[in-house]
């Protein structure tokens, strides 16, 4: 009951503080208004700028009525003064009334200011008193909360001590010795042979399961058999070159012989395109090695056209295919070389329209190249990353797809092959690059010699 009364008292104190703050603010606003009004009345411009007399509104009805009265007298005096002159007795009478109204208004303002100031001081004193009471109450409340928390803690400790004393008197404990510890008469010894056999069998089963699991997750193409089984493309060659090393020339020569056997037509020029599904598959190296293999015979004049710009050859012609197509240079001047192997780039233009490869001018340029070279090797960009490979494949007698062993997923290669076939290209086969040498190199060479 006492606590309820205390809370009610505190609530009433807070309400009174709020009301006193509002009253204090209101009185301060009134004092400011009266001060501005007194400054206007005492000013020298009231005779001419009497409109400012009404611009200041106060919350006191008496003062407001006196403002209006003074304003009306000033208006009447000015009107009479304009019509009768400043020395007219009626004007003099109105001047006296204006002076009296101004004096009355100043007296009223002074009285109200004095009363308001005294009321404001009383309000401030009461606010200070109530704030001190509330501050003292808050301090007492914090002290009560601390004492209540300490009381609850001490009561809990006291209850725990009483329970402990009762348990000690009755010899009751939460832990009992049910039986004494004894050493086993027949200690257990590990069967080392059995554990070893179980460990070997378990390890073999786990290793076999992991091997099958990783094999199931591995979608790379490692061997020519994988290429033929998953991609349905004939494997034509395999290069066991480490990354960054040149390709084996004998394997490239064998690849050229196989291609010549598959597509050779008596007296006709052969055009092959070398590409890949994605970049970094070794297509530039395969194209360069194949062109060198064709050009190893002095009678086989060979042209290597690098559409992707990845082949670095010192014998590259100064102009490219795009320059020929745009008519900036003729075929004869661009290929003015008597060497067996001529390397032709894409051209000096960085950007070119995609429809350029399917234009009639492109067909004429290809026919002109076939008339000058026996073997032509096109190196095009990746099928899934550029439009060159599919568009240029229509001019080739066959397409070779370079595949980096154990790197590119078979689904990606299959999608590239399907895109080439949809573009009416003849996919002759695939070439594996960077294959891992499972047999030691020395033994593998002996097998090749045998």
């Amino acid at each position: 009951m006492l606590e309820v009364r205390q809370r009610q008292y505190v609530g009433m104190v807070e309400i009174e503080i709020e009301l006193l703050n509002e009253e204090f603010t209101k009185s301060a606003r009134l004092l400011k208004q009266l001060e501005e009004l007194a400054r206007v009345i005492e000013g020298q411009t009231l005779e001419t700028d009497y409109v400012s007399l009404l611009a200041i509104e106060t919350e006191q009805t008496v003062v407001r009525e006196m403002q209006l009265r003074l304003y009306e007298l000033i208006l009447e005096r000015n009107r009479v003064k304009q019509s009768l002159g400043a020395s007219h007795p009626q004007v003099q009478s109105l001047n006296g009334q204006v002076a009296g109204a101004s004096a009355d208004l100043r007296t009223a303002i002074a009285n109200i200011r004095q009363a308001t100031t005294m009321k404001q001081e009383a309000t401030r004193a009461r606010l200070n008193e109530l704030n001190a009471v509330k501050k003292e109450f808050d301090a007492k409340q914090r002290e009560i909360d601390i004492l209540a928390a300490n009381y609850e803690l001490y009561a809990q400790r006291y209850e725990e001590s009483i329970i402990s004393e009762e348990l000690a008197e009755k010899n009751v404990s939460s832990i009992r010795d049910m039986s004494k510890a004894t050493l086993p008469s027949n200690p257990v010894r590990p069967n080392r042979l059995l554990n070893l056999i179980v460990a070997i069998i378990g390890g073999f089963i786990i290793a076999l399961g992991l091997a099958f699991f990783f094999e199931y997750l591995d979608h790379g193409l490692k061997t020519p058999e994988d290429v033929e089984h998953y991609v349905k493309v004939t494997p034509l060659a395999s290069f066991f070159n480490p990354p960054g090393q040149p390709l084996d020339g004998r394997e490239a020569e064998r690849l050229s012989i196989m291609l010549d056997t598959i597509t050779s037509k008596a007296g006709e020029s052969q055009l092959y395109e070398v590409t890949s599904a994605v970049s970094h598959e070794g297509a530039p190296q395969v194209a360069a090695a194949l062109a060198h293999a064709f050009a190893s015979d002095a009678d086989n004049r060979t042209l290597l056209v690098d559409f992707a710009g990845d082949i670095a050859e010192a014998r590259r012609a100064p102009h490219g295919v795009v320059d020929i197509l745009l008519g900036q240079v003729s075929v004869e001047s661009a290929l003015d070389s008597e060497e067996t192997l001529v390397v032709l780039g894409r051209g000096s233009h960085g950007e070119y329209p995609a429809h350029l490869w399917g234009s009639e001018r492109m067909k004429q340029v290809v026919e002109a190249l076939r008339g000058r070279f026996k073997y032509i090797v096109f190196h095009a960009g990746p099928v899934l990353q550029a439009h060159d490979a599919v568009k240029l494949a229509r001019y080739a007698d066959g397409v070779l797809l370079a595949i980096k062993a154990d790197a590119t997923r078979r689904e990606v290669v299959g999608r590239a092959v399907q895109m080439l076939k949809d573009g009416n290209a003849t996919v002759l086969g695939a070439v594996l690059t960077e294959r891992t040498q499972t047999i030691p190199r020395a033994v593998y060479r002996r097998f090749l010699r045998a």
Side-chain angles (χ1 to χ4, degrees), residues 180-211:
K180 299 296 183 181
T182 58
L183 293 175
S185 57
N186 295 319
V188 179
R189 294 185 178 88
N191 192 336
R192 296 181 179 179
L193 180 60
L194 178 62
N195 292 343
L196 182 60
I197 294 174
V198 171
I200 292 175
I201 296 175
F204 177 75
I205 294 174
I206 294 174
L208 189 63
L210 288 176

Side-chain angles (χ1 to χ4, degrees), residues 325 356-368 394-395:
L325 291 176
L356 199 62
W357 304 135
S359 62
E360 188 65 27
R361 174 61 178 167
M362 182 64 184
K363 296 179 182 178
Q364 297 173 1
V365 171
V366 172
E367 290 300 325
R394 67 185 66 179
Y395 305 107

Side-chain angles (χ1 to χ4, degrees), residues 307-427:
F307 287 94
D310 297 330
I311 301 176
E313 284 283 349
R315 293 175 292 180
R316 184 186 294 268
H319 301 285
V321 179
V322 179
D323 300 327
I324 298 174
L325 291 176
L326 297 178
Q328 296 180 353
V329 65
S330 63
V331 177
E332 292 77 11
S333 59
L335 302 175
D336 187 15
S337 174
E338 299 298 329
E339 296 183 359
T340 306
L341 176 62
V342 179
V343 181
L344 186 65
R346 183 174 58 186
S348 58
H349 295 270
E351 299 293 337
Y352 54 89
H355 62 82
L356 199 62
W357 304 135
S359 62
E360 188 65 27
R361 174 61 178 167
M362 182 64 184
K363 296 179 182 178
Q364 297 173 1
V365 171
V366 172
E367 290 300 325
L369 295 178
R370 283 181 180 271
R372 297 176 64 90
F373 297 93
K374 184 175 182 180
Y375 294 101
I376 302 174
V377 179
F378 281 178
H379 168 236
V383 177
L384 301 180
Q385 298 176 354
H387 58 79
D388 299 356
V390 178
K391 291 184 175 294
L392 294 173
R394 67 185 66 179
Y395 305 107
D397 298 317
V399 179
L400 287 179
L401 197 66
I403 304 173
K404 186 177 180 180
D406 199 17
T408 309
R409 293 175 63 88
R410 52 178 178 259
E411 294 85 358
V412 176
V413 179
R415 189 159 62 250
V417 172
Q418 188 61 42
M419 287 183 62
L420 290 171
K421 290 182 178 180
D422 293 342
N424 297 324
T426 302
V427 181

Side-chain angles (χ1 to χ4, degrees), residues 239-241 245-250 252 282 284-287 289-290 433-434:
F239 292 97
F240 294 90
N241 60 300
Q245 297 297 324
L247 303 184
D248 188 357
R250 289 177 300 176
Q285 292 81 3
V286 173
L290 182 61
T433 61
E434 298 186 20

Side-chain angles (χ1 to χ4, degrees), residues 106-317:
R106 282 194 292 270
T107 302
I109 291 173
N111 294 335
I112 294 174
R113 288 178 64 181
Q114 183 179 2
T116 304
T117 304
M118 293 176 61
K119 185 178 179 180
Q120 194 177 37
E121 293 297 331
T123 303
R124 183 183 289 109
R126 181 59 179 169
L127 279 174
N128 294 334
E129 181 181 355
L130 293 177
N131 287 328
V133 171
K134 189 174 182 303
K135 184 177 180 182
E136 182 180 0
F137 178 81
D138 292 339
K140 294 293 183 181
Q141 187 62 42
R142 287 194 296 269
E143 185 177 355
I144 290 172
D145 294 339
I146 295 172
L147 292 175
N150 292 335
Y151 174 77
E152 291 180 0
L153 179 61
Y154 294 151
Q156 183 180 359
R157 297 288 177 83
Y158 178 71
E159 187 177 355
E160 291 176 357
S161 64
I162 292 175
I163 294 173
S164 299
E165 291 177 0
E166 291 181 355
L167 292 176
E169 291 177 359
K170 296 179 180 180
N171 196 17
V172 176
S173 177
S174 59
I175 301 175
R176 292 183 180 181
D177 295 333
M178 303 302 295
S179 62
K180 299 296 183 181
T182 58
L183 293 175
S185 57
N186 295 319
V188 179
R189 294 185 178 88
N191 192 336
R192 296 181 179 179
L193 180 60
L194 178 62
N195 292 343
L196 182 60
I197 294 174
V198 171
I200 292 175
I201 296 175
F204 177 75
I205 294 174
I206 294 174
L208 189 63
L210 288 176
F212 277 107
F213 178 70
F214 287 123
E215 183 67 22
Y216 173 76
L217 295 179
D218 188 8
H219 286 203
L221 301 172
K222 303 181 181 64
T223 62
E225 291 77 12
D226 292 342
V227 175
E228 189 171 10
H229 177 73
Y230 293 110
V231 189
K232 309 301 180 184
V233 174
T234 304
L236 297 180
S238 297
F239 292 97
F240 294 90
N241 60 300
Q245 297 297 324
L247 303 184
D248 188 357
R250 289 177 300 176
E251 186 71 9
E253 186 176 356
R254 189 179 71 85
L255 175 61
S256 66
I257 295 173
M258 290 184 64
L259 292 175
D260 200 17
T261 304
I262 294 173
T263 61
S264 177
K265 297 178 182 179
E268 294 186 6
S269 175
Q270 301 299 317
L271 193 154
Y272 302 103
E273 178 183 339
V274 180
T275 182
S276 59
V278 293
S279 58
H280 305 294
E281 297 289 290
Q285 292 81 3
V286 173
L290 182 61
H292 281 283
F294 282 136
S296 60
D297 188 351
D299 296 332
N300 298 334
R301 196 153 186 262
T302 305
L303 172 65
L304 174 59
V305 184
D306 181 17
F307 287 94
D310 297 330
I311 301 176
E313 284 283 349
R315 293 175 292 180
R316 184 186 294 268

